[in-house]
Amino acid sequence: MTKKQVKKQEKKPTKFRKFIKWFWIVFAGGIASIFLLFLLASWGFLGEMPSFEILENPQTNLASQVISADGKVLGKYYLKDNRTPVDYKELPKDLVNALIATEDARFHDHSGIDVRGTIRAFAYLGKNGGASTISQQLARQLFVGVRSRNIFEAGIQKIKEWVIATRLERQYTKEEIIAMYFNIYDFGNNADGIRSGARIYFGKEPQDLKIEESAMLVGMFKNSSLYNPRRWPDKVKKRRDVVLAQMYKYEYITEAVKDSLQKLPLGLNYTPESHNEGLGTYFREHLKDFLKKWVKDNPKENRDKYNIYLDGLKIYTTIDSRMQKYAEEAVEEHMKKLQAEFYHQNTKKRNKNAPFARDVEKNTIETVIDRSIRSSERWRVMKSEGKSEDEIYASFDRKTPMTVFSWKNKNERIDTIMTPRDSMLYSKFFLRASFMSLEPQSGQVKAWVGGINYRNFKYDMVRQGKRQIGSTFKPFVYATAIDQLHLSPCDSMPNGPYCIEEGKYGLLEPWCPKNSDGKYEGMRTLKGSLASSVNTVTARLMDKVGPVNVRSLAQRLGVESEIPEAPSIALGTPDISLYEMLGAYGTFVNKGVYVKPVIVTRIEDKNGTILYEFVPETKDVLSEEVAYTVVNLMQGVTESGSGRRLRHKSMAKTALYKEIMTGYPYEFKNPIAGKTGTTQNNSDGWFIGMVPNLISGAWVGGEDRQIRFASTAYGQGASMALPIWGLFMKKCYADKSLSVSSDKFPEPEEEMTINVDCSKTTKKTDSKGDEPDDDNLDGIDFD
């Protein structure tokens, strides 16, 4: 072998050794660089990193939940993020499997970084799939943010994700990471987190999701905007089918199951969650006022105030979701029917003043409209912008596109073009209603419907709105007389005309109320008089006890509204809310003990710590005997008086009953105490009915008192309000999961000294007029 050949052979291994040497130098340098980058990132040199404390408690905005007495979520308070966290144990197995199969098949085998996936991603430049683990995606969602388009910044973000992912893996269990990932994701359409996603897209809780529903939601993790099931259902179905295929690939489901599920439609049950939708919208708005005061009076330990929109509070309320549903259904069913009749009677051909009554003068109508204009949101906004009154008035006569309410439209809203003035008149055409139900023994409110549609008519007529209450005030007069004079329901009084003279009780002229039926003859028992709402007998009782004592009793029964010391209050002239009336009536059923209505039982923070528990506010107002006697009196209203249509069925074929008595016949057989009320010119219709463990009341009327039925047959409380009560109670009794009593009212334990058995007396004194014509029962003439 020549020297040249020897030298060549010696050079070859030398070059190879140099290549190996430089390979390991580069490799070691790369590893060191990566390690250094990780170290620098963890020290914060590549941008701020979350501290241990922040990792322990990631900052996410949590919606506060309004929870019913039967454990259902009525709604939430949130500003931007409608997020309510769930625990891992609340996630169905198929949902978790779908996520792992689709997003991170080796989730249980790595510690935050999938090395195999990362190498594959680098080798194929991401063409064969990415390498982001669930932990990395969670890190990006919680702390890193949207991926930058700048390659250098994106690289730094990726390194931070890796570092944070490994920290999260050390800090939390795999199950906790899965739960956090589901809770943090935004599924679109106000569906923040898996609980909102399940409720909004399928109308159910996460644990109730089916496999195909779980697959659809997991498919949305790719991009919830691109895979929005409301906008792109076909695209979302294809993505869902990919998830199902992945579940089959990793043996979470069989091929047969995969094939059968892929044939199914999406099966959306879109149930939007907003402040304008869902159960108890009026109640939730009222509850907000309660919470504002509570937040002010109950700061955190660091003296900061709780934020009901961000702090994830759990507000446990007294509302029963089933009763709330039945109440809203009853209001809607009856008001649709009543409104149709109101339209029919007030077409322009029949009534040129519509929606105002025919007998309302033009200048009164103009005053009402002007008042509405000046109190409108449009007026307020334009006034704040410095517009003159002439400019503002002119704007009310310019046509503009708008959305208005309609009972005919399934979505209850229609797009149209009209002037703001016309839209105001259009809105006034709709009769308004309210309904409330409470448990008299505890004062707990079970149902609260403040109007016919919260999105369009936000004024709450349960608590905010106050209207003349008509004959529903009369039980206070009778209760005062029974309490002070020890009268019996069987005691009789003349039914003749009666006047309280000028000067007495501060009267400037004699007060001579009239009976609505125009009859003034014979004797009437107290029970028969209240049943038929006889004004002259009520006036006699008022004269015997005096308006001061009646007013005092009403106030002790919880009525806070202004009540003048005048005899006319006996016929219901004061403006009082439905909320106050039900609290007061509850005292009669609760053996004379007033319990202040309650809407919240407790409040918890996001960790379940109890922050508030209610303490009942009670006071003794009447003796048990007097309270029972008043209840006995009021039973006569549904037995033979203005509320008897709750029991009979003989009028089913009459025009009136077909047109507006929604749900008739009711055919209740159980004891019911109650009272109807109708105010002057049929402006307001009331009915409050009671069974031993539930009191419910309804009011119906126009936005303004000048909007009303012309006939008492249609405008009285027994026609406008009573059907809502009847429908609601029929639904409650049909639901066997509720325990609404159909028993007798419990008698006092001690022997009664007041006679309530009027069977013999009634025959003698109430033979005439105690079966009044339902068409004209308790309309009130205040003139």
Side-chain angles (χ1 to χ4, degrees):
M1 187 179 291
T2 63
K3 289 183 178 180
K4 280 187 177 182
Q5 289 175 327
V6 172
K7 284 182 179 180
K8 281 183 180 180
Q9 285 183 345
E10 288 177 352
K11 283 181 181 180
K12 283 181 182 179
T14 302
K15 287 182 178 180
F16 181 72
R17 281 196 296 269
K18 285 183 178 180
F19 172 77
I20 295 298
K21 178 181 177 181
W22 279 108
F23 170 81
W24 285 111
I25 290 173
V26 171
F27 181 78
I31 295 296
S33 298
I34 292 172
F35 179 77
L36 181 61
L37 280 173
F38 269 74
L39 200 60
L40 292 173
S42 64
W43 287 343
F45 284 96
L46 299 183
E48 187 177 359
M49 294 287 283
S51 65
F52 174 83
E53 290 76 13
I54 293 176
L55 283 174
E56 184 78 13
N57 296 287
Q59 296 300 309
T60 55
N61 296 333
L62 301 179
S64 291
Q65 299 178 81
V66 180
I67 303 170
S68 70
D70 55 322
K72 305 295 183 182
V73 177
L74 296 174
K76 301 176 186 178
Y77 298 122
Y78 61 92
L79 292 177
K80 182 181 178 182
D81 297 338
N82 177 22
R83 179 177 291 105
T84 304
V86 297
D87 294 330
Y88 180 82
K89 61 185 179 183
E90 298 176 73
L91 301 173
K93 186 178 180 181
D94 291 319
L95 181 68
V96 175
N97 291 342
L99 176 68
I100 293 174
T102 308
E103 297 291 331
D104 191 354
R106 288 179 289 278
F107 175 70
H108 290 290
D109 300 326
H110 62 68
S111 299
I113 301 174
D114 182 2
V115 177
R116 284 172 57 187
T118 303
I119 293 173
R120 183 196 66 224
F122 273 116
Y124 294 97
L125 299 177
K127 293 180 180 179
N128 284 6
S132 284
T133 64
I134 290 173
S135 303
Q136 288 174 239
Q137 293 178 50
L138 176 61
R140 181 166 69 247
Q141 292 273 354
L142 285 173
F143 304 110
V144 179
V146 179
R147 176 78 72 237
S148 174
R149 293 185 178 181
N150 182 288
I151 295 177
F152 177 74
E153 290 179 354
I156 292 176
Q157 285 181 324
K158 194 66 179 178
I159 293 170
K160 292 170 73 174
E161 282 177 24
W162 284 339
V163 174
I164 296 171
T166 56
R167 287 185 175 181
L168 288 172
E169 291 274 351
R170 290 198 301 268
Q171 193 74 30
Y172 297 98
T173 66
K174 290 288 187 180
E175 289 76 16
E176 288 171 331
I177 289 172
I178 288 282
M180 290 171 69
Y181 187 58
F182 274 116
N183 285 326
I184 198 64
Y185 193 74
D186 179 0
F187 290 91
N189 294 305
N190 275 340
D192 299 294
I194 189 61
R195 188 172 194 185
S196 293
R199 286 170 59 87
I200 287 175
Y201 291 117
F202 297 107
K204 57 180 67 174
E205 294 297 324
Q207 59 263 35
D208 300 322
L209 290 170
K210 298 177 182 177
I211 299 178
E212 66 273 19
E213 294 168 343
S214 297
M216 191 205 85
L217 291 170
V218 167
M220 293 177 69
F221 278 112
K222 189 174 181 70
N223 186 323
S224 60
S225 296
L226 185 62
Y227 295 98
N228 183 332
R230 295 189 67 214
R231 298 184 64 187
W232 318 107
D234 292 339
K235 189 182 295 185
V236 172
K237 184 181 180 302
K238 289 179 181 178
R239 177 61 185 165
R240 181 204 67 179
D241 292 347
V242 169
V243 174
L244 291 170
Q246 288 294 105
M247 293 181 74
Y248 164 66
K249 176 182 177 181
Y250 291 102
E251 299 182 350
Y252 290 117
I253 58 175
T254 65
E255 185 175 15
V257 170
K258 180 204 72 167
D259 292 341
S260 64
L261 294 178
Q262 286 180 338
K263 294 176 183 177
L264 296 175
L266 290 179
L268 290 181
N269 177 20
Y270 184 62
T271 311
E273 289 187 350
S274 75
H275 304 303
N276 290 324
E277 291 155 318
L279 275 180
T281 46
Y282 288 95
F283 171 76
R284 284 185 271 136
E285 186 62 29
H286 172 72
L287 175 61
K288 200 184 297 181
D289 293 333
F290 169 89
L291 293 172
K292 285 177 181 177
K293 185 178 185 304
W294 178 83
V295 163
K296 182 179 179 182
D297 297 338
N298 297 271
K300 299 177 183 178
E301 290 183 359
N302 61 2
R303 308 309 297 171
D304 288 344
K305 291 182 179 180
Y306 285 100
N307 189 318
I308 65 171
Y309 301 103
L310 303 175
D311 286 343
L313 301 177
K314 292 181 180 178
I315 303 110
Y316 292 88
T317 70
T318 60
I319 295 293
D320 186 290
S321 68
R322 296 159 295 183
M323 290 187 181
Q324 182 67 32
K325 177 176 177 286
Y326 300 149
E328 292 183 13
E329 288 175 350
V331 169
E332 180 177 337
E333 288 170 23
H334 178 60
M335 293 309 295
K336 278 184 177 180
K337 196 167 188 176
L338 190 68
Q339 187 66 49
E341 181 59 28
F342 187 73
Y343 275 138
H344 176 68
Q345 294 186 19
N346 289 278
T347 60
K348 284 298 180 183
K349 289 183 179 180
R350 296 173 182 237
N351 177 15
K352 294 181 179 180
N353 282 347
F356 302 96
R358 298 184 189 91
D359 58 352
V360 180
E361 297 180 357
K362 291 292 183 184
N363 61 338
T364 302
I365 294 175
E366 290 172 2
T367 300
V368 171
I369 293 174
D370 187 67
R371 184 172 63 238
S372 297
I373 287 174
R374 298 179 74 90
S375 61
S376 69
E377 181 67 9
R378 172 181 287 269
W379 182 281
R380 186 192 67 78
V381 171
M382 293 186 73
K383 196 73 174 175
S384 67
E385 293 173 349
K387 305 291 185 182
S388 68
E389 291 195 358
D390 288 342
E391 289 177 300
I392 300 175
Y393 275 119
S395 75
F396 276 85
D397 294 313
R398 284 195 293 268
K399 288 189 175 183
T400 182
M402 62 180 68
T403 303
V404 296
F405 174 74
S406 172
W407 279 123
K408 295 180 180 179
N409 189 13
K410 186 177 180 181
N411 295 322
E412 299 171 347
R413 289 171 72 79
I414 55 176
D415 294 324
T416 187
I417 298 176
M418 64 172 71
T419 69
R421 184 186 296 271
D422 287 340
S423 74
M424 190 172 293
L425 289 170
Y426 174 85
S427 174
K428 287 183 181 295
F429 232 120
F430 289 97
L431 295 173
R432 311 301 163 83
S434 61
F435 182 88
M436 177 178 160
S437 188
L438 65 76
E439 187 179 81
Q441 290 76 19
S442 65
Q444 294 192 9
V445 176
K446 294 301 175 183
W448 181 304
V449 185
I452 60 173
N453 182 279
Y454 180 74
R455 179 188 290 275
N456 297 278
F457 308 102
K458 287 187 164 52
Y459 194 71
D460 178 38
M461 290 301 296
V462 168
R463 190 76 168 99
Q464 282 180 293
K466 298 181 180 183
R467 296 290 284 261
Q468 284 187 340
I469 55 170
S471 293
T472 52
F473 192 89
K474 287 179 179 176
F476 302 151
V477 179
Y478 281 74
T480 306
I482 293 168
D483 186 39
Q484 295 191 357
L485 306 176
H486 213 65
L487 296 178
S488 161
C490 311
D491 289 337
S492 301
M493 287 191 172
N495 188 30
Y498 190 81
C499 291
I500 299 179
E501 65 269 22
E502 178 184 344
K504 196 172 186 180
Y505 309 123
L507 289 172
L508 299 177
E509 57 183 30
W511 183 63
C512 307
K514 301 174 184 178
N515 287 337
S516 61
D517 60 5
K519 298 177 181 178
Y520 304 92
E521 56 185 25
M523 299 288 288
R524 302 297 296 267
T525 63
L526 295 190
K527 191 167 188 176
S529 298
L530 184 64
S532 300
S533 215
V534 179
N535 291 337
T536 54
V537 173
T538 307
R540 290 176 188 274
L541 292 175
M542 172 60 80
D543 197 17
K544 287 179 179 293
V545 297
V548 172
N549 290 321
V550 174
R551 176 193 181 194
S552 174
L553 175 63
Q555 290 173 333
R556 285 184 286 127
L557 291 172
V559 177
E560 298 174 344
S561 299
E562 180 63 31
I563 301 176
E565 294 180 3
S568 60
I569 65 173
L571 306 187
T573 55
D575 289 354
I576 300 176
S577 69
L578 179 61
Y579 174 92
E580 294 170 280
M581 290 300 295
L582 259 66
Y585 272 41
T587 308
F588 301 140
V589 181
N590 195 36
K591 302 180 179 181
V593 178
Y594 170 75
V595 182
K596 186 176 181 179
V598 177
I599 60 172
V600 174
T601 55
R602 75 180 187 276
I603 299 174
E604 296 178 358
D605 68 11
K606 63 181 180 181
N607 298 315
T609 303
I610 296 176
L611 306 175
Y612 165 85
E613 284 188 291
F614 90 104
V615 178
E617 295 183 39
T618 66
K619 60 181 175 182
D620 294 335
V621 179
L622 298 168
S623 70
E624 187 175 347
E625 182 180 42
V626 169
Y628 178 78
T629 302
V630 175
V631 171
N632 180 273
L633 267 175
M634 297 174 71
Q635 283 182 258
V637 173
T638 67
E639 291 167 356
S640 61
S642 54
R644 63 178 177 156
R645 54 180 79 180
L646 288 170
R647 301 191 182 281
H648 63 55
K649 59 179 180 180
S650 58
M651 309 293 286
K653 294 183 179 180
T654 62
L656 171 69
Y657 280 66
K658 286 182 178 179
E659 289 161 356
I660 62 171
M661 288 303 295
T662 318
Y664 180 87
Y666 310 106
E667 297 186 89
F668 294 119
K669 308 295 184 185
N670 55 294
I672 299 170
K675 189 70 191 80
T676 56
T678 310
T679 62
Q680 186 177 19
N681 297 322
N682 312 313
S683 293
D684 305 275
W686 294 80
F687 180 72
I688 300 175
M690 308 183 290
V691 295
N693 65 348
L694 195 68
I695 300 178
S696 307
W699 164 87
V700 176
E703 179 181 337
D704 305 293
R705 288 187 170 95
Q706 296 80 7
I707 299 170
R708 55 182 183 256
F709 279 103
S711 166
T712 302
Y714 291 90
Q716 64 177 298
S719 297
M720 290 210 296
L722 179 143
I724 297 176
W725 192 94
L727 280 168
F728 171 75
M729 292 300 289
K730 280 178 74 173
K731 293 172 185 286
C732 286
Y733 280 129
D735 187 340
K736 301 306 179 184
S737 69
L738 296 172
S739 300
V740 179
S741 174
S742 57
D743 298 332
K744 294 180 178 180
F745 291 94
E747 297 183 15
E749 294 181 3
E750 297 183 6
E751 186 177 351
M752 292 278 293
T753 62
I754 299 175
N755 177 31
V756 295
D757 183 6
C758 306
S759 56
K760 295 181 180 179
T761 313
T762 302
K763 289 180 181 179
K764 294 179 181 178
T765 60
D766 287 333
S767 58
K768 294 182 179 181
D770 207 0
E771 290 288 338
D773 181 358
D774 269 349
D775 286 353
N776 193 9
L777 291 173
D778 56 348
I780 297 172
D781 186 351
F782 294 116
D783 295 334

